[in-house]
Amino acid sequence: TAGITQAPTSQILAAGRSMTLRCTQDMRHNAMYWYRQDLGLGLRLIHYSNTAGTTGKGEVPDGYSVSRANTDDFPLTLASAVPSQTSVYFCASHVDSSNTGELFFGEGSRLTVL
Amino acid sequence: GQNIDQPTEMTATEGAIVQINCTYQTSGFNGLFWYQQHAGEAPTFLSYNVLDGLEEKGRFSSFLSRSKGYSYLLLKELQMKDSASYLCAVTDSNYQLIWGAGTKLIIKP
């Protein structure tokens, strides 16, 4: 079972360039999330989607955009990358938006912005 | 504001028992999670507590006291593979997940 697939696994990006991190799930989960994880900080929510066709802003949305055209895919775009966006990015999904059960994570995308 | 506190780092010996504490102040409560995260990997689900008391699952147990805003994760018969970060997270009244910064557990032989 694939679960959640993220791509790329790692990327080095020049500041000012754009980048899209891909996330695909095959569990037919309604809710999907993008987090960033930095040393010494907890997982911070960037954007979320409770169901296909809807998205919302999390704790740290600036500089990022998302779309949810269908149930399976939830790409994260950095329009013009800055060094402070250097981080590990995790995509996650949940059966619904209640967050009362297990959250499934992708393997992460390590992004370095120079 | 909403806050989850857990120790930054703990060290324990192989074969021993360790307790990782988590205290929370959130707007409402709809459940508390523990996740394990090995270095360079994604978090994986360990437990979910919504009622007070102890939930046991093999070598791992998780305890919750809602009145005290407190939980702990108990790991018994520690193995070297238990070296990881342990993340505490709470679902608040708006069903948003609030994450602690994680506790890095170091197991020594």
Side-chain angles (χ1 to χ4, degrees):
Chain A
T1 303
I4 297 185
T5 303
Q6 289 184 233
T9 304
S10 66
Q11 182 75 44
I12 299 174
L13 187 67
R17 301 297 295 268
S18 66
M19 175 77 193
T20 294
L21 303 180
R22 300 183 298 279
C23 176
T24 300
Q25 53 106 356
D26 63 1
M27 298 174 284
R28 308 302 293 171
H29 283 177
N30 282 315
M32 296 187 74
Y33 310 87
W34 274 107
Y35 287 97
R36 61 178 290 173
Q37 188 175 40
D38 303 290
L39 197 63
L41 300 176
L43 288 164
R44 292 186 291 169
L45 183 65
I46 303 170
H47 284 286
Y48 64 92
S49 170
N50 287 336
T51 190
T54 70
T55 62
K57 294 181 179 181
E59 180 186 355
V60 287
D62 294 344
Y64 306 94
S65 63
V66 292
S67 62
R68 186 88 183 277
N70 55 60
T71 297
D72 299 345
D73 301 301
F74 191 44
L76 176 74
T77 298
L78 289 69
S80 180
V82 295
S84 62
Q85 292 177 310
T86 293
S87 187
V88 180
Y89 292 86
F90 287 103
C91 181
S93 73
H94 190 266
V95 61
D96 57 32
S97 59
S98 71
N99 282 318
T100 53
E102 180 178 354
L103 197 64
F104 293 83
F105 286 87
E107 291 303 305
S109 297
R110 182 175 296 275
L111 180 65
T112 302
V113 182
L114 301 176
Chain B
Q2 308 204 85
N3 193 52
I4 294 182
D5 289 316
Q6 46 180 137
T8 301
E9 187 175 296
M10 299 181 69
T11 302
T13 304
E14 188 177 15
I17 299 173
V18 70
Q19 177 176 312
I20 302 174
N21 295 325
C22 170
T23 58
Y24 61 90
Q25 301 89 38
T26 58
S27 57
F29 178 86
N30 279 299
L32 184 143
F33 296 84
W34 285 98
Y35 282 80
Q36 180 189 60
Q37 186 177 25
H38 285 102
E41 298 182 7
T44 56
F45 173 82
L46 288 178
S47 67
Y48 173 58
N49 293 67
V50 64
L51 299 176
D52 291 349
L54 187 68
E55 297 268 349
E56 297 185 78
K57 192 184 297 185
R59 294 188 298 113
F60 292 11
S61 302
S62 57
F63 172 83
L64 174 66
S65 169
R66 289 172 295 171
S67 63
K68 295 182 179 179
Y70 168 70
S71 171
Y72 67 72
L73 181 69
L74 190 72
L75 291 74
K76 304 176 184 177
E77 302 170 13
L78 285 170
Q79 302 175 8
M80 297 304 292
K81 68 178 182 180
D82 297 330
S83 292
S85 289
Y86 292 86
L87 313 181
C88 176
V90 170
T91 300
D92 70 11
S93 58
N94 293 319
Y95 294 95
Q96 298 298 311
L97 260 180
I98 313 300
W99 293 86
T103 298
K104 182 178 181 181
L105 178 63
I106 300 168
I107 309 297
K108 295 185 175 180

